[in-house]
Amino acid sequence: MAPFGERLAAAISSRGNLCVGIDPQRTVLKAWGLDDTADGARELGLRVIEASAGRVPAVKPQVAFFERFGAAGFSALERVLAAARAAGLLVIADAKRGDIGSTLDGYGDAWLTPGSPLEADALTVNPFLGIGALRGAVDLAHHNGKGLFVLAATSNPEGFESQSAVLGTGNRQGTSVAAGIVEDVRSLNADARGPVGSIGLVLGATADFPALGINLDGVAGPPATPVLAPGFGHQGAQLADFRPIFGQAAGATLASVSRTVLSAGPHRIVAAIESASEELAA
């Protein structure tokens, strides 16, 4: 399988920068006329995939909204993941996994292994236990042509205090935690074969990058570090500001939206996706 970075670059080139979130929240299911059950979550996911196929490069199922239904929810998620990949969409499992040693290896086996019931193209991961602790998942992703998106500067305001904290030791003394993660992830892409690496960052569109000491021009590469950018729509950032916010890094960045398009309902979601894509392209 081609490296995730190569596949991401090709998908963005042909279908733009929009990533559609699949979030079967209770309120969304009700608005779509679906039961708040695993079956309802599966049905919503399949309908979103049908609306997204051929129109956007990627979808991002939020694992928590399936997991809340237990085993039946994971069964529904398996169907959604398989259907999305069969439809030619890149699938980012938003699970935010993070651990050490064999435990993280187990998460990697679940999400990043070809043929696994939960196989995705990329997985969001939490670096709180140290970037070095992610090495097993990084190696597995590279081996299997998969990707990772590492949390660095998130779009929730509660994250600023810890992400802006200053490192006190090592060769990055005085650098913010978020900026340190960005540099560590960039180094993981140094040997990328193509113009875009496979190990990416989660950088929220509402984050204060200058205050965090993050240089987005550096993220642009070469090679470019892919970015998953939540925070558009209900969280405050506007799609029209996508390129002004991300600058040179926009070429390998996915703007993630969920409620913005899901709130359109089952009969207008195609129009909402097309409108959001056009706004990004403009």
Side-chain angles (χ1 to χ4, degrees):
M1 183 184 294
F4 173 73
E6 279 186 30
R7 295 188 289 126
L8 176 64
I12 288 176
S13 177
S14 63
R15 297 193 292 277
N17 296 80
L18 191 69
C19 175
V20 176
I22 301 176
D23 295 6
Q25 301 179 59
R26 203 170 277 113
T27 54
V28 173
L29 292 173
K30 180 179 180 181
W32 280 54
L34 297 170
D35 293 334
D36 185 28
T37 62
D39 287 343
R42 183 192 66 240
E43 182 63 23
L44 178 114
L46 296 178
R47 292 188 192 181
V48 174
I49 289 164
E50 183 179 7
S52 301
R55 294 183 174 90
V56 301
V59 292
K60 182 177 70 67
Q62 172 50 257
V63 172
F65 293 125
F66 292 88
E67 187 171 324
R68 67 194 180 101
F69 297 117
F74 273 106
S75 178
L77 179 59
E78 290 174 11
R79 285 279 308 277
V80 169
L81 294 170
R85 297 184 66 249
L89 292 159
L90 291 177
V91 183
I92 302 168
D94 195 357
K96 298 181 178 68
R97 297 298 192 243
D99 216 304
I100 59 174
S102 59
T103 306
L104 185 62
D105 292 345
Y107 287 134
D109 288 342
W111 299 99
L112 303 174
T113 302
S116 166
L118 291 170
E119 180 184 358
D121 293 290
L123 174 70
T124 58
V125 292
N126 190 331
F128 182 77
L129 293 171
I131 286 288
L134 299 175
R135 172 52 63 182
V138 170
D139 291 343
L140 185 64
H142 282 147
H143 182 266
N144 290 335
K146 304 295 188 180
L148 298 175
F149 285 98
V150 183
L151 300 175
T154 57
S155 54
N156 64 308
E158 301 90 348
F160 183 79
E161 183 175 2
S162 58
Q163 292 162 14
S164 64
V166 175
L167 298 172
T169 59
N171 60 0
R172 295 207 178 99
Q173 187 170 353
T175 301
S176 75
V177 169
I181 292 169
V182 169
E183 290 306 308
D184 285 338
V185 171
R186 284 184 61 201
S187 70
L188 294 174
N189 289 314
D191 297 328
R193 296 201 316 239
V196 178
S198 294
I199 310 302
L201 292 158
V202 177
L203 297 176
T206 58
D208 190 341
F209 299 126
L212 293 168
I214 294 174
N215 177 10
L216 288 175
D217 289 344
V219 173
T225 297
V227 172
L228 177 64
F232 290 97
H234 285 268
Q235 288 178 290
Q238 302 301 311
L239 289 172
D241 295 328
F242 170 68
R243 295 187 188 281
I245 292 171
F246 289 97
Q248 296 181 48
T253 297
L254 291 170
S256 179
V257 297
S258 54
R259 282 177 288 180
T260 299
V261 295
L262 296 182
S263 62
H267 304 299
R268 298 187 63 250
I269 186 170
V270 169
I273 289 173
E274 291 177 344
S275 176
S277 294
E278 289 167 5
E279 190 171 357
L280 274 179

